[in-house]
């Protein structure tokens, strides 16, 4: 299943990919890392790109600041065609785009303050302006007491917070997050994601985040593109994606969410429960309680055998697999009522 | 043991003392002169090798091929042969083919290419991620070389240069071949050729002390830079 949201031409479109491909190598050994990709990102948005590793996400994000060049197609960022800028003219654009890396990439020869000040030096800020900005940023990321520390004295989460402070230093319009939490543990991930969210909400910065972690998309993304083998196979709001993740074999979202029972799960479920198995996708988790509560009125009983409810940045969604027992007519009546609150699919066991 | 002590007690210190001092100064002169110039050119050469390679900040294949070829051409030539082989050039540049300055000229050639490789190897150890980070911030290529690449590799570079200084002390011992001085020449002329082992050992002890000092200072600096 492939869905695309047609890009409305917008005056506040900061990033536009149009038919972009990137091929490495030549002839028989050629590898297409990015394959005919088109999408746009508007000002103030958090745009997530998710996919398995090797899907081309890294190449994709690096084409935004010109670290990689497309083989064909155009990449337009902040009104400039990046794909055409010379190495000489790229720095000016790059100064307006911050980047956060999976391995943090802090300068080991500089302390925390020195790392954050570096992009400001590049941008030509004066000494006193730099000092003031560094103080402000370290406060923003909660590391004011670590200004004189060197990277090796920091934990992974602290390093990434320095990375974020450094990326935000020169007041960029866009922040690129390249697997920014993939090297971190779950607790630290939450901390870093909260910080990215604050950067978006309080500073109004537009974020493009590539990741293989659903958690990142769920907690910060407004819109999402799903990438597989170099292509964008699905685009939509985070909410659409999670509430109806599609059921194609090997679908990244379905696999990553693990919200539907797989064959092993079904075998286990079947051992313990009888009845008709249905999966309900809820675009809004709100109304489901009332319907489930009506089971007794229909004369059926049910058990939730898989799935659950969760939230994205802006809404709730859910995917529940139920085993419903009772007279066939009664079960059908109950299922009809379920259709009123979500999309219902039969599960073959 | 008494024999050794007696040998040094009976040594004509009025003659060997000043000779040894002069030879020590000459060694320091040979090493310092060739290191200052060879170290600088070698650094440029190493940075060129590292940055012009494909994927480097100044990626330029013809430039890399040329530099790499020249380094591989000069580096294998043994020092004794090199100083003799380049003598016509030495005469052109220095004005004479013999003496300490001619030796320094030869040592510069030998050390430049060795340092080039050592610098290149140490730069390889830098995490490419930090260079990418600097590029992403809009830093220009020469700024990246000066403010990221060299500072990130500074600790290992100091150790590499320390190694080179010691190798130069080794080379300087052959200065006598083309009429240069120094501790090597002193050990051969005053000691070996006159069957005076105790005189050879005087030079050996001074060289050991010099090398130890250089190594200690190098280690200290490197440790300070690497904060270990």
């Amino acid at each position: 299943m492939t869905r695309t949201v047609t890009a409305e031409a917008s005056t506040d479109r900061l990033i536009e990919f149009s038919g972009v491909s990137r091929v490495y190598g030549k002839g028989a050994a050629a590898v297409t890392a990015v394959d005919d990709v088109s999408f746009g990102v508007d000002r103030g948005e958090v745009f997530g790109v998710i996919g398995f590793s090797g899907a081309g996400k890294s190449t994709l994000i690096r084409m935004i600041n010109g670290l990689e060049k497309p083989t064909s197609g155009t990449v337009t960022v902040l009104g400039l065609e990046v794909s055409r800028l010379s190495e000489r003219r790229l720095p000016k654009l790059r100064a307006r785009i911050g980047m956060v890396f999976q391995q943090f990439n802090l300068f080991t020869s500089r302390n925390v303050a020195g790392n954050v000040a570096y992009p400001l030096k590049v941008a030509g800020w004066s000494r006193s302006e730099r000092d003031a900005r560094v103080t402000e940023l370290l406060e923003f990321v909660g590391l004011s007491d670590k200004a004189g520390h060197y990277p090796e004295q920091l934990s992974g989460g602290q390093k990434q917070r320095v990375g974020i402070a450094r990326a935000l230093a020169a007041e960029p319009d866009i922040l690129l997050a390249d697997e920014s939490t993939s090297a971190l543990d779950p607790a630290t991930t939450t901390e870093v994601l909260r910080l990215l969210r604050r950067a978006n909400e309080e500073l109004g910065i537009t974020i493009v985040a590539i990741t293989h972690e659903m958690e990142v998309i769920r907690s910060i993304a407004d819109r999402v593109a799903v990438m597989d083998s170099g292509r964008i196979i699905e685009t939509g709001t985070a909410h659409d994606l999670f509430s109806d993740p599609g059921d194609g074999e090997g679908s990244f979202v379905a696999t990553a969410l693990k919200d539907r029972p797989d064959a092993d799960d079904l075998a286990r479920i079947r051992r313990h429960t009888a009845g008709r198995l249905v999966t309900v996708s809820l675009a809004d988790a709100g109304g489901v309680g009332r319907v489930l509560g009506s089971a007794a009125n229909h004369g059926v009983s049910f058990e939730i055998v898989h799935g659950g409810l969760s939230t994205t940045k802006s809404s709730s969604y859910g995917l529940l697999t139920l085993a419903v027992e009772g007279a066939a007519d009664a079960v059908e009546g109950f299922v009809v009522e379920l259709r009123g609150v979500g999309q219902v699919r039969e599960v073959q066991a | 043991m008494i024999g050794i002590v007696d040998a040094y007690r009976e040594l004509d210190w009025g003659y060997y003392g000043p000779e040894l001092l002069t030879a020590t100064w000459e060694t320091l002169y040979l090493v310092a002169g060739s290191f200052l110039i060879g170290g600088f050119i070698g650094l440029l050469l190493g940075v060129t090798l590292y940055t012009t390679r494909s994927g480097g900040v100044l990626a330029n294949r013809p430039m890399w091929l040329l530099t790499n070829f020249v380094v591989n051409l000069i580096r294998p030539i043994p020092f004794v042969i090199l100083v003799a082989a380049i003598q016509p050039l030495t005469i052109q540049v220095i004005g004479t083919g013999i003496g300490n300055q001619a030796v320094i000229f030869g040592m510069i050639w030998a050390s430049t290419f060795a340092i080039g490789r050592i610098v290149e190897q140490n730069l390889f150890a830098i995490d490419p991620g930090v260079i990418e980070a600097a590029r992403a911030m809009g830093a220009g290529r020469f700024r990246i070389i000066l403010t990221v690449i060299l500072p990130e590799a500074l600790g290992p570079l100091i150790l590499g240069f320390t190694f080179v200084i010691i190798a130069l002390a080794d080379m300087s011992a052959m200065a006598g071949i083309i009429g240069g001085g120094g501790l090597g020449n002193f050990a051969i002329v005053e000691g070996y050729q006159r069957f005076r082992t105790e005189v050879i050992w005087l030079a050996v002890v001074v060289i050991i002390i010099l090398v130890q000092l250089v190594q200690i200072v190098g280690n200290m600096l490197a440790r300070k830079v690497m904060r270990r």
Side-chain angles (χ1 to χ4, degrees):
Chain A
M1 185 172 74
T2 302
R3 275 172 305 182
T4 38
V5 170
T6 5
E8 302 277 315
S10 161
T11 48
D12 238 2
R13 178 138 288 190
L14 295 195
I15 301 170
E16 183 86 63
F17 273 59
S18 164
V20 174
S21 297
R22 177 67 167 100
V23 181
Y24 291 102
K26 280 179 192 144
V31 177
T32 306
V34 172
D35 191 359
D36 190 22
V37 162
S38 300
F39 67 91
V41 181
D42 291 337
R43 183 179 294 278
E45 235 186 346
V46 179
F47 188 79
V49 180
I50 191 158
F52 295 113
S53 37
K57 310 185 297 286
S58 272
T59 307
L60 184 84
I61 201 170
R62 279 167 175 72
M63 290 196 282
I64 298 173
N65 59 0
L67 290 173
E68 290 279 353
K69 301 247 175 205
T71 315
S72 60
T74 56
V75 179
T76 311
V77 177
L78 297 165
L80 295 167
E81 201 180 318
V82 193
S83 29
R84 287 216 187 154
L85 289 181
S86 63
E87 198 63 30
R88 206 172 258 282
R89 290 184 59 206
L90 271 171
K92 225 171 168 185
L93 174 72
R94 287 176 178 155
R96 298 177 63 192
I97 307 172
M99 190 163 186
V100 181
F101 303 87
Q102 177 171 6
Q103 296 303 332
F104 326 124
N105 294 353
L106 300 182
F107 304 122
T108 61
S109 54
R110 291 168 200 275
N111 62 19
V112 168
N115 267 278
V116 179
Y118 189 84
L120 300 174
K121 276 191 189 172
V122 172
W125 291 38
S126 75
R127 176 79 194 244
S128 58
E129 288 173 323
R130 290 203 302 263
D131 290 349
R133 182 68 178 149
V134 169
T135 308
E136 188 184 346
L137 280 159
L138 290 183
E139 204 162 304
F140 181 76
V141 301
L143 289 174
S144 299
D145 54 329
K146 298 276 190 275
H149 284 53
Y150 280 87
E152 75 270 13
Q153 296 168 299
L154 304 176
S155 69
Q158 290 171 334
K159 283 182 195 168
Q160 196 57 297
R161 277 147 67 192
V162 175
I164 292 172
R166 186 176 67 173
L168 294 174
E171 299 173 336
D173 297 273
I174 300 169
L175 180 69
L176 306 178
D178 174 13
E179 297 279 6
S180 55
T181 56
S182 302
L184 303 173
D185 62 52
T188 322
T189 294
T190 309
E191 177 188 305
V192 165
L193 291 179
R194 199 171 294 149
L195 191 55
L196 289 176
R197 213 155 131 170
R198 276 181 57 213
N200 172 246
E201 285 164 5
E202 294 172 27
L203 310 176
I205 193 164
T206 307
I207 299 179
V208 177
I210 63 163
T211 183
H212 63 266
E213 297 172 307
M214 268 307 175
E215 180 57 23
V216 174
I217 299 296
R218 204 178 61 75
S219 64
I220 67 169
D222 296 307
R223 283 198 310 127
V224 190
V226 182
M227 250 189 124
D228 189 21
S229 312
R231 306 186 72 96
I232 288 187
I233 52 166
E234 213 171 322
T235 326
T237 64
H239 179 78
D240 290 346
L241 194 72
F242 281 90
S243 57
D244 186 13
D247 41 13
E249 187 69 20
S251 149
F252 181 85
V253 182
T255 310
L257 281 176
K258 227 189 159 332
D259 56 355
R260 217 161 300 190
D262 62 22
D264 292 346
D265 294 330
L266 280 176
R268 251 189 313 272
I269 290 166
R270 268 297 170 227
R271 239 175 283 142
H272 301 294
T273 51
R276 181 168 160 189
L277 283 178
V278 291
T279 292
V280 194
S281 332
L282 301 157
D284 177 0
V288 70
R290 188 185 47 75
V291 178
L292 294 181
S294 73
N297 302 342
H298 287 276
V300 300
S301 66
F302 71 89
E303 211 178 316
I304 298 176
V305 292
H306 198 91
L309 305 177
S310 193
T311 54
T312 62
K313 191 178 170 186
S314 56
S315 59
S316 60
Y317 66 93
L319 213 100
L320 299 175
T321 300
L322 308 176
V324 190
E325 280 188 81
D329 290 358
V331 170
E332 182 56 32
F334 180 65
V335 169
V336 166
E337 194 155 345
L338 278 173
R339 287 204 175 96
V341 292
Q343 207 179 341
V344 178
R345 286 190 190 85
E346 300 294 324
V347 178
Q348 306 319 332
Chain B
M1 280 305 278
I2 302 295
I4 295 170
V5 174
D6 285 345
Y8 285 107
R9 196 172 284 158
E10 286 158 19
L11 200 68
D12 181 2
W13 284 102
Y15 173 72
Y16 288 109
E19 283 289 310
L20 183 66
L21 199 64
T22 307
T24 305
W25 280 120
E26 281 175 330
T27 291
L28 291 176
Y29 173 63
L30 293 171
V31 171
S34 53
F35 176 70
L36 286 179
I37 300 170
F40 181 71
I41 307 173
L43 185 66
L44 292 182
L45 203 59
V47 169
T48 306
L49 281 170
Y50 174 72
T51 54
T52 57
R53 190 176 278 269
S54 79
V57 291
L58 298 174
N60 181 330
R61 192 163 167 78
M63 185 67 182
W64 180 80
L65 281 174
L66 178 74
T67 317
N68 197 50
F69 174 75
V70 174
V71 170
N72 285 344
L73 193 76
I74 310 278
R75 220 162 71 91
I77 306 174
F79 179 67
V80 258
I81 299 171
L82 183 74
V83 280
I86 64 170
Q87 208 165 36
L89 182 66
T90 313
I91 294 168
Q92 289 291 313
V93 178
I94 306 292
T96 169
I98 55 167
N100 285 334
Q101 292 200 4
V103 175
I104 289 179
F105 186 73
M107 284 168 69
I108 288 170
W109 279 92
S111 61
T112 294
F113 294 95
I115 291 169
R117 277 284 179 235
I118 289 173
V119 167
E120 183 197 20
Q121 278 162 17
N122 285 318
L123 297 185
F124 267 130
I126 301 172
D127 173 8
V130 299
I131 297 170
E132 184 178 49
R135 286 180 68 205
M137 285 173 219
R141 295 178 274 190
F142 290 96
R143 183 194 286 272
I144 291 176
I145 293 173
L146 290 176
T147 64
V148 177
I149 293 177
L150 291 177
E152 289 290 311
L154 192 58
L157 280 178
I158 290 174
L159 292 176
F161 278 116
T162 306
F163 177 85
V164 167
I165 293 176
I166 292 164
L168 283 169
D170 185 7
M171 277 182 217
S172 76
M174 285 173 258
I177 303 243
I178 57 166
L183 288 162
N185 189 52
F186 172 86
I188 300 296
V189 174
E190 302 287 344
Y192 182 72
Q193 290 173 357
R194 297 179 189 183
F195 306 101
R196 302 204 64 159
T197 310
E198 71 275 22
V199 174
I200 298 176
W201 276 93
L202 276 181
V204 170
V205 168
V206 174
I207 286 180
I208 289 174
I209 292 170
L210 289 180
V211 166
Q212 287 296 327
L213 285 176
V214 168
Q215 192 66 58
I216 287 168
V217 171
N219 286 350
M220 252 169 46
L221 283 175
R223 206 166 11 213
K224 199 172 149 137
V225 167
M226 296 194 275
R227 299 182 299 278
R228 292 189 186 124

